[in-house]
Amino acid sequence: MAAKATANKKRTKPRGRGRSEPSLREAENRRERSRPAAPMPKQHQEHPGLEVRMKPRPQYKAPLYKGSGKLTGKVALITGGDSGIGRAVAVLFAREGADVAIMFLPEEEVDALETQQAIESEGRRALLLPGDVTDPEYCEECIDRVVNELGALDVLVNNAAFQENKGSIDEITLEQFDKTFKTNIYGYFYLTKFALPRMKRGAAIINTGSITGLEGHKELLDYSATKGAIHAFTKSLAQNLVEKGIRVNCVAPGPVWTPLNMAASESADDVVTFGGDTPMKRAAQPEEMAPTYVFLASNVDSSYITGEVISLLGGETTAG
């Protein structure tokens, strides 16, 4: 009788499989089909470049990403947070419950205002901090403002960068070399130095490196050198801070569709094939980078991870 009763039990239908709502798989496939691939439209901008002028616009909203409170109550500061990877990270940090401050150049204000709106639409506070990371006084002031106005500093994302393609070392002026290092590594040092006295056990620092810092790039001699320095800085700082309970990691992307690359190119033709030489045959979108920053910022996910350089290369496997 017991066996018969079991056999007659009504079988329940698995949840989420109804025909009325599209499956996650279908939504993922649609999003993947929406990713732009080479050939890209010809375009060029003067430095620093604006996301609002790019065609097609970079994807940063990550509509399929569902927040789960991984950063609830935390405060993050992101340099270069107005556009590109920085903007996408700001949006997902806010979706995970963090208040977010972003640093950006004054001429990037139009992008910063859009990022502010995106953060606030997630129900979190946004703090805009215009200025230049090559100025140590500005960097120190930003740390003070974040702590005073948002109440803490739990996550520092060093992300701002300057890049300009040149065919040979003869074409790199001393001014360009200086600006590249002052932006890409001095700025990271300044922010970290001023932030650490305000950061507590459980805080996280995330640096943005690059595939060029792992493999080099014949047209980015100065930029590649700074990215290699960032990778070494990450590993050394992680060793220095591990006993204080502050984790330090780095994300090293391959080609990503951002204003940085529009301004770095020497002509409008240069971006047509951008990202086309990766195994995925396209550049990454900023929203595809951002979840890794969430992972590294969240102690729920990565409490045992420090000193790592995580490469996101679209299928490339030769880095490092």
Side-chain angles (χ1 to χ4, degrees), residues 181-193:
F181 271 80
K182 287 285 179 65
T183 303
N184 297 4
I185 187 65
Y186 278 50
Y188 283 39
F189 176 82
Y190 295 151
L191 268 300
T192 302
K193 180 176 177 64

Side-chain angles (χ1 to χ4, degrees), residues 1 21 25 88 115 137 168 239 252:
M1 290 294 292
E21 68 179 75
R25 185 183 298 109
T115 305
E137 291 183 2
S168 73
Q239 295 173 43

Side-chain angles (χ1 to χ4, degrees), residues 9-192:
K9 273 188 176 180
K10 185 178 180 180
R11 294 182 180 178
T12 57
K13 198 173 185 180
R15 292 181 180 180
R17 297 291 182 89
R19 293 183 179 181
S20 58
E21 68 179 75
S23 70
L24 176 60
R25 185 183 298 109
E26 291 169 345
E28 289 172 340
N29 288 338
R30 283 198 302 272
R31 194 62 175 169
E32 181 60 29
R33 289 193 297 269
S34 76
R35 309 289 190 202
M40 304 297 279
K42 294 181 181 181
Q43 56 197 294
H44 175 74
Q45 296 186 39
E46 296 302 316
H47 286 289
L50 293 172
E51 190 160 312
V52 71
R53 295 179 182 171
M54 291 179 65
K55 298 178 181 179
R57 291 285 301 275
Q59 297 174 343
Y60 71 89
K61 296 181 179 179
L64 301 182
Y65 184 98
K66 308 300 181 185
S68 57
K70 292 178 179 179
L71 301 177
T72 297
K74 297 201 173 183
V75 175
L77 172 61
I78 304 171
T79 72
D82 59 292
S83 63
I85 293 173
R87 170 187 279 178
V89 172
V91 171
L92 290 199
F93 276 14
R95 196 169 297 170
E96 289 291 358
D99 293 328
V100 184
I102 61 172
M103 297 170 65
F104 56 95
L105 292 169
E107 51 265 47
E108 298 170 320
E109 183 179 20
V110 63
D111 280 345
L113 291 173
E114 182 175 337
T115 305
Q116 178 185 26
Q117 184 178 29
I119 294 168
E120 292 175 346
S121 71
E122 300 290 344
R124 306 310 306 174
R125 292 180 293 172
L127 177 61
L128 302 191
L129 301 166
D132 191 331
V133 296
T134 64
D135 178 3
E137 291 183 2
Y138 160 70
C139 293
E140 186 172 20
E141 178 187 342
C142 286
I143 298 299
D144 289 340
R145 286 193 60 189
V146 170
V147 174
N148 292 337
E149 297 182 36
L150 298 181
L153 178 55
D154 302 291
V155 183
L156 171 64
V157 178
N158 287 309
N159 172 71
F162 175 80
Q163 172 185 320
E164 189 162 355
N165 295 41
K166 295 295 180 183
S168 73
I169 194 170
D170 295 333
E171 298 175 27
I172 301 174
T173 65
L174 296 180
E175 291 77 16
Q176 176 184 321
F177 186 83
D178 189 57
K179 183 174 183 178
T180 305
F181 271 80
K182 287 285 179 65
T183 303
N184 297 4
I185 187 65
Y186 278 50
Y188 283 39
F189 176 82
Y190 295 151
L191 268 300
T192 302

Side-chain angles (χ1 to χ4, degrees), residues 162-236:
F162 175 80
Q163 172 185 320
E164 189 162 355
N165 295 41
K166 295 295 180 183
S168 73
I169 194 170
D170 295 333
E171 298 175 27
I172 301 174
T173 65
L174 296 180
E175 291 77 16
Q176 176 184 321
F177 186 83
D178 189 57
K179 183 174 183 178
T180 305
F181 271 80
K182 287 285 179 65
T183 303
N184 297 4
I185 187 65
Y186 278 50
Y188 283 39
F189 176 82
Y190 295 151
L191 268 300
T192 302
K193 180 176 177 64
F194 297 132
L196 279 173
R198 318 299 284 273
M199 303 180 89
K200 299 178 180 178
R201 178 172 290 272
I205 298 172
I206 307 169
N207 299 321
T208 299
S210 170
I211 177 61
T212 65
L214 296 168
E215 296 184 344
H217 192 293
K218 66 179 182 179
E219 294 182 354
L220 292 169
L221 300 179
D222 51 347
Y223 179 82
S224 299
T226 64
K227 292 300 180 176
I230 289 167
H231 298 166
F233 179 63
T234 298
K235 290 180 175 291
S236 300

Side-chain angles (χ1 to χ4, degrees), residues 242-301:
V242 67
E243 292 184 2
K244 295 183 179 179
I246 298 175
R247 298 180 300 104
V248 188
N249 290 289
C250 180
V251 179
V256 185
W257 189 243
T258 71
L260 177 70
N261 296 292
M262 301 305 100
S265 61
E266 296 192 81
S267 74
D269 293 326
D270 290 343
V271 301
V272 173
T273 59
F274 184 70
D277 59 349
T278 66
M280 290 191 179
K281 306 301 182 186
R282 64 173 179 84
Q285 291 297 316
E287 67 179 29
E288 296 178 288
M289 302 289 104
T292 302
Y293 288 78
V294 173
F295 170 76
L296 293 174
S298 167
N299 287 316
V300 172
D301 292 325

